[in-house]
Amino acid sequence: MSAPTMLEGTIQSAGDEIYQQLTQIVDSSIEDRVEEWCKSHGLLRLDNPLQIVARQAVFNVLLKATLHEHYHQRGHLPELGSDARQALNDAEELTGDPAFKEYILDEVAWLKKDALNDVLAARNQLQLTDDPAEEIGRIFEGITPQKSRRKLGQFRTPKTIADLMADWLIKNGSETVLDPGMGACALSAAVYREKQEKKDEPSLSDIHGIDLDELALVMGATTLTLMDHGNPHSLCVGDFLELEVNDLDGEVDAVISNPPYSRHHELSEEYKSRVNSQAEHELGRDVSALSPMYAYFYYHAAQFLKPGGRMSFITPSEYLETSYGESLKQFLLDEFDINALVLFDRNDDSKFEEAMTTSLVSFLEKTKGTDDNELTRIVRVDGNPSEEELLAAVTGDVEGETEWGFVNAVRQSELESEEKWTVLFDPVDIDTSELTPLSELATVNRGIATGKNEYFCLTQSEVDEWGIDEQYLSKIIRNSRSVPGYDYTDEDWQEERDAGREVWLLYHITELNANTISQSIPDAASGNETLTAYSSDESENVEVKNPGLVEYLQFGMSDEIEAHDGYLARNRNPWFVVDRRDPPPIVLTYMSRNGTRFIRNETNARNLSNLHGMYIDVEMDETQLKALLAYLNSEFASKVVRRSGRTYSSGMDKIEPNEMEGVPVLDPRGLNNETVGELAALFDELREAARDDALSTAEVVLEIDKLLQEVFDK
């Protein structure tokens, strides 16, 4: 985050003074409403929510004072005067602007009015900025931590994307526009700028905005009012999902939205059930109850759009490949001509840097009729194209590879809601029909899920401290950070152990009377406790004595740990016997921004659930296994794996075991010995390069791809 500006410093300084007053408040009415504000805005998850409330309250007063000054300079209001609070209250009636209406943040700010003197004196500063929406949004993000903004899914729209959306939506400047979930009105501001370019003196009242948040209304009203010289805005506070078409005096020509990104688990059960039932009623179709909030905005917004009207949303891209996204994709197919879908920064930092999301912009026209030949432009943006270049891609003037990405054109009639649309952004230009499904060669399993890794995974010093015999433990590959390259050796495990990392798993215990553990501590020191265990060095169960193990299990049941009381533990009998897994010859990362890595495991270590394990089901010698690993770690295979998996809103690619088993692979058993040897040698080069900073793994992968291309061309 950039350093605070002088204006932000003024806000923070005043906010900190008011915060001290807020902590001493005795008015239960204000206290209750502050707590409700914190709860509804995700502030309770922060260490010091009242400090954020105080700063938001100061920001709110600054915006209202800025609005007042703007009206005053145009002769609509008297000077602010010495009683600023009363002047701001009077302004609502004198101007009809609902942004002046008092709410809880005003009451918090005026708890210490002297702290606001510098803020009120700075009311001209925002009027001097070239881009009010950008500056106001930036200040809001500066004083409100991302952790709380995620509660409402509040993330500012980048100006370049807002301008692109507005440019496509606005044809002549006379359009009526709806901006649901308006926030600081970054999108509405872009629309108004576009209207100004295409029409003399466009009407600001043609832009309707709505947001749940009173502070959003104040931000949005300030943004738009500073851009205009007299027209009233049409913004309001409310739940967009409760808004009706008649509330706007009819349908609109365009809808533009950066809707809340809140995931379904961020919503209350009652609210989620209500909005899902409402969507199903409005659409006359089933809607997944796992849908995020932005899906419901899509469904509801369509009702406000005139036939032939246009709509553009910016959302995470995850619905393109999730099961809950199928109902949304089918809705888009049925109700719209999908002109284009533009995916930003799939393999780079997100356009919404703080949102940690892969940004997708849709360009939709409300269907007038069905045309089976209608094309949908699938646009992938890897670089930094100009707005003109992107608009040309959206409108159909560009196709194929570009300097900044890729444009794919597909018939909308060929799109299926059950399919993963993300594959259309990364088309594989090699025929995979002759390859073999991995399931014919191997089985892929999730790793061991303990339910409480911090208890079941131990360092060597913890093993020694508790006196646990190693025959009850298994070596583990703790996580993907333990294997930064492409192989894992006994020496790697020993380095992890000597570095004090968790390298042991409580594992080789198959039976113990859990009911007696709570009574075992008094007798444990005398060595009287026995248990039945399986040691990797023994062929059958034997009775052994290990008081340290019994004591550690008792420790796991203590109030401090409660390892026995988690969901997984409660469904195991006994609770401490975790899933059985053989050490896999290959482990793979299943969630990554940079593609899945397939790692040769040369140890007898097992993997936890943060890695998948691959077990070879056919006869395959070591050279063939390395050849398979060379293919799996190629750039070509990376594209194929991505097509089979899914991308989370964080931009992370993920693949499940069953999806991995369906990936087409090159069967090394069908290759000649020379090719197998060359691929195996390249895998050895790859893993050596990963261990040597002076070498390049990218160059080795390039050599693997070249060799694979020769194989495919034969």
Side-chain angles (χ1 to χ4, degrees):
M1 182 179 294
S2 60
T5 63
M6 184 178 297
L7 190 55
E8 285 178 83
T10 301
I11 293 171
Q12 292 179 8
S13 178
D16 291 345
E17 286 190 56
I18 292 172
Y19 163 67
Q20 297 300 325
Q21 189 74 25
L22 187 58
T23 59
Q24 303 170 24
I25 195 169
V26 294
D27 187 332
S28 60
S29 173
I30 294 180
E31 187 176 12
D32 290 344
R33 281 180 290 149
V34 167
E35 183 176 355
E36 179 57 34
W37 178 271
C38 290
K39 181 180 178 181
S40 63
H41 288 73
L43 298 177
L44 293 178
R45 62 185 69 185
L46 303 178
D47 293 334
N48 202 346
L50 293 184
Q51 184 178 52
I52 305 303
V53 172
R55 291 177 178 179
Q56 288 180 341
V58 174
F59 182 42
N60 168 69
V61 169
L62 171 65
L63 294 172
K64 290 186 174 182
T66 301
L67 263 181
H68 190 285
E69 183 65 18
H70 183 85
Y71 280 112
H72 165 64
Q73 291 177 4
R74 282 150 185 80
H76 301 302
L77 286 175
E79 288 190 14
L80 190 63
S82 58
D83 191 347
R85 183 177 188 179
Q86 187 60 50
L88 295 178
N89 284 338
D90 292 343
E92 180 187 4
E93 181 177 352
L94 293 173
T95 65
D97 192 333
F100 286 112
K101 184 178 178 62
E102 269 210 0
Y103 63 108
I104 185 59
L105 289 188
D106 293 286
E107 296 188 52
V108 169
W110 295 109
L111 287 173
K112 192 170 185 180
K113 64 179 182 179
D114 291 344
L116 298 173
N117 291 336
D118 289 343
V119 173
L120 295 172
R123 61 185 180 274
N124 283 305
Q125 290 190 31
L126 283 176
Q127 296 193 74
L128 302 177
T129 183
D130 294 331
D131 192 337
E134 191 71 11
E135 182 66 9
I136 290 171
R138 189 191 60 76
I139 294 175
F140 173 71
E141 289 186 349
I143 64 174
T144 308
Q146 178 195 3
K147 194 174 182 180
S148 68
R149 284 184 283 114
R150 184 177 288 116
K151 171 73 176 180
L152 296 180
Q154 295 174 323
F155 298 101
R156 181 163 44 111
T157 310
K159 185 176 183 297
T160 53
I161 297 180
D163 288 343
L164 171 67
M165 297 165 72
D167 196 353
W168 183 80
L169 286 172
I170 303 303
K171 301 175 184 178
N172 55 42
S174 300
E175 293 87 351
T176 52
V177 182
L178 173 62
D179 181 359
M182 64 195 179
C185 278
L187 291 175
S188 288
V191 165
Y192 193 62
R193 284 193 297 268
E194 195 64 32
K195 279 173 165 282
Q196 288 175 317
E197 289 186 12
K198 295 178 178 176
K199 182 181 179 181
D200 292 335
E201 298 184 4
S203 175
L204 190 60
S205 60
D206 285 341
I207 302 175
H208 304 276
I210 183 170
D211 201 292
L212 271 175
D213 189 359
E214 293 97 332
L215 182 55
L217 170 62
V218 180
M219 290 191 292
T222 306
T223 292
L224 295 185
T225 302
L226 292 182
M227 295 178 66
D228 190 79
H229 298 289
N231 291 315
H233 62 76
S234 296
L235 309 180
C236 65
V237 171
D239 185 343
F240 168 63
L241 298 180
E242 296 178 357
L243 189 71
E244 297 181 0
V245 175
N246 291 337
D247 295 329
L248 302 183
D249 298 324
E251 297 170 327
V252 296
D253 299 299
V255 177
I256 188 169
S257 183
N258 172 10
Y261 289 8
S262 303
R263 301 177 180 89
H264 75 94
H265 58 264
E266 292 278 7
L267 309 174
S268 70
E269 287 297 327
E270 179 183 357
Y271 184 76
K272 183 168 58 177
S273 176
R274 178 167 62 81
V275 298
N276 198 77
S277 296
Q278 173 183 311
E280 292 184 331
H281 175 73
E282 291 176 348
L283 302 179
R285 67 176 78 198
D286 291 337
V287 173
S288 171
L290 300 179
S291 299
M293 179 58 74
Y294 65 79
Y296 299 113
F297 268 58
Y298 258 120
Y299 299 137
H300 195 56
Q303 299 182 49
F304 293 81
L305 200 59
K306 293 177 181 177
R310 290 187 167 191
M311 186 159 81
S312 184
F313 271 46
I314 179 165
T315 68
S317 63
E318 57 188 2
Y319 76 87
L320 297 180
E321 55 188 0
T322 58
S323 56
Y324 67 71
E326 292 180 8
S327 53
L328 176 54
K329 286 185 290 184
Q330 190 60 56
F331 168 75
L332 297 181
L333 289 171
D334 292 343
E335 301 296 328
F336 295 96
D337 288 334
I338 306 175
N339 280 225
L341 298 172
V342 181
L343 185 68
F344 287 89
D345 293 332
R346 182 176 175 84
N347 297 310
D348 202 348
D349 294 333
S350 172
K351 290 291 182 187
F352 288 75
E353 181 179 351
E354 287 196 330
M356 290 294 290
T357 183
T358 305
S359 309
L360 180 79
V361 181
S362 62
F363 297 86
L364 313 169
E365 285 192 74
K366 196 164 186 180
T367 306
K368 291 181 179 178
T370 302
D371 183 355
D372 289 342
N373 294 315
E374 193 71 38
L375 292 177
T376 296
R377 306 286 167 175
I378 306 294
V379 184
R380 188 187 74 236
V381 181
D382 302 324
N384 292 294
S386 66
E387 181 187 330
E388 291 74 18
E389 288 174 315
L390 275 180
L391 193 60
V394 169
T395 56
D397 295 335
V398 179
E399 193 169 331
E401 295 287 347
T402 70
E403 292 182 356
W404 47 262
F406 180 79
V407 181
N408 189 10
V410 299
R411 287 187 175 86
Q412 180 168 327
S413 59
E414 296 177 357
L415 293 175
E416 299 288 344
S417 61
E418 297 82 4
E419 295 177 351
K420 296 179 179 181
W421 291 4
T422 45
V423 302
L424 301 171
F425 295 91
D426 294 295
V428 177
D429 54 5
I430 300 177
D431 184 11
T432 61
S433 61
E434 299 300 319
L435 299 180
T436 303
L438 180 62
S439 59
E440 295 187 13
L441 305 180
T443 299
V444 180
N445 288 333
R446 287 187 178 85
I448 297 170
T450 68
K452 201 173 188 67
N453 286 344
E454 62 269 31
Y455 170 76
F456 284 93
C457 301
L458 299 97
T459 64
Q460 185 64 55
S461 62
E462 289 171 330
V463 169
D464 295 339
E465 178 183 348
W466 286 95
I468 301 174
D469 196 306
E470 291 182 6
Q471 67 176 317
Y472 307 122
L473 305 171
S474 169
K475 294 179 179 179
I476 54 167
I477 305 173
R478 182 63 177 83
N479 50 43
S480 61
R481 292 188 298 277
S482 302
V483 279
Y486 295 90
D487 61 347
Y488 188 71
T489 66
D490 287 325
E491 290 76 16
D492 294 325
W493 183 88
Q494 290 165 9
E495 286 184 16
E496 292 272 298
R497 179 196 62 191
D498 296 344
R501 300 188 180 99
E502 295 170 343
V503 293
W504 293 109
L505 174 68
L506 199 62
Y507 184 79
H508 288 296
I509 312 170
T510 58
E511 187 178 333
L512 181 65
N513 187 347
N515 294 327
T516 65
I517 293 178
S518 60
Q519 304 170 358
S520 64
I521 289 294
D523 299 326
S526 63
N528 290 334
E529 283 300 320
T530 64
L531 58 130
T532 303
Y534 175 74
S535 168
S536 57
D537 298 326
E538 299 167 324
S539 59
E540 60 183 20
N541 290 347
V542 294
E543 189 176 80
V544 296
K545 295 180 179 180
N546 190 193
L549 173 60
V550 174
E551 189 172 346
Y552 189 70
L553 293 174
Q554 174 64 37
F555 173 64
M557 297 180 68
S558 67
D559 292 340
E560 178 183 352
I561 303 299
E562 295 185 334
H564 67 301
D565 199 34
Y567 174 79
L568 292 178
R570 291 197 306 271
N571 287 277
R572 295 193 296 248
N573 187 22
W575 62 266
F576 44 79
V577 177
V578 299
D579 298 339
R580 305 289 96 179
R581 293 283 192 280
D582 290 329
I586 297 173
V587 294
L588 55 137
T589 60
Y590 70 93
M591 184 175 286
S592 171
R593 288 181 180 275
N594 301 312
T596 301
R597 277 186 299 118
F598 297 83
I599 302 146
R600 177 71 172 102
N601 177 22
E602 296 182 340
T603 73
N604 62 349
R606 292 171 169 82
N607 58 297
L608 299 179
S609 57
N610 44 35
L611 292 166
H612 290 338
M614 184 185 298
Y615 301 87
I616 305 302
D617 298 328
V618 297
E619 289 189 15
M620 193 177 293
D621 61 32
E622 183 66 20
T623 304
Q624 291 172 327
L625 185 62
K626 290 180 181 178
L628 176 62
L629 283 163
Y631 167 82
L632 290 171
N633 286 297
S634 69
E635 181 61 27
F636 169 68
S638 179
K639 291 181 179 180
V640 176
V641 170
R642 174 174 287 164
R643 288 168 63 97
S644 301
R646 60 165 290 191
T647 301
Y648 274 91
S649 60
S650 62
M652 300 284 279
D653 291 317
K654 178 182 179 181
I655 188 156
E656 299 289 359
N658 63 317
E659 295 171 332
M660 188 65 228
E661 289 180 355
V663 169
V665 301
L666 187 65
D667 186 349
R669 299 173 303 165
L671 302 175
N672 60 55
N673 292 338
E674 181 181 358
T675 301
V676 171
E678 290 177 357
L679 285 170
L682 285 171
F683 175 71
D684 283 336
E685 288 184 29
L686 181 64
R687 61 183 190 172
E688 289 171 11
R691 292 178 178 273
D692 189 339
D693 292 338
L695 301 176
S696 169
T697 57
E699 291 181 4
V700 180
V701 171
L702 183 60
E703 290 301 315
I704 294 174
D705 284 335
K706 287 181 179 178
L707 180 54
L708 289 175
Q709 188 63 58
E710 294 176 7
V711 173
F712 295 141
D713 288 342
K714 291 181 180 179

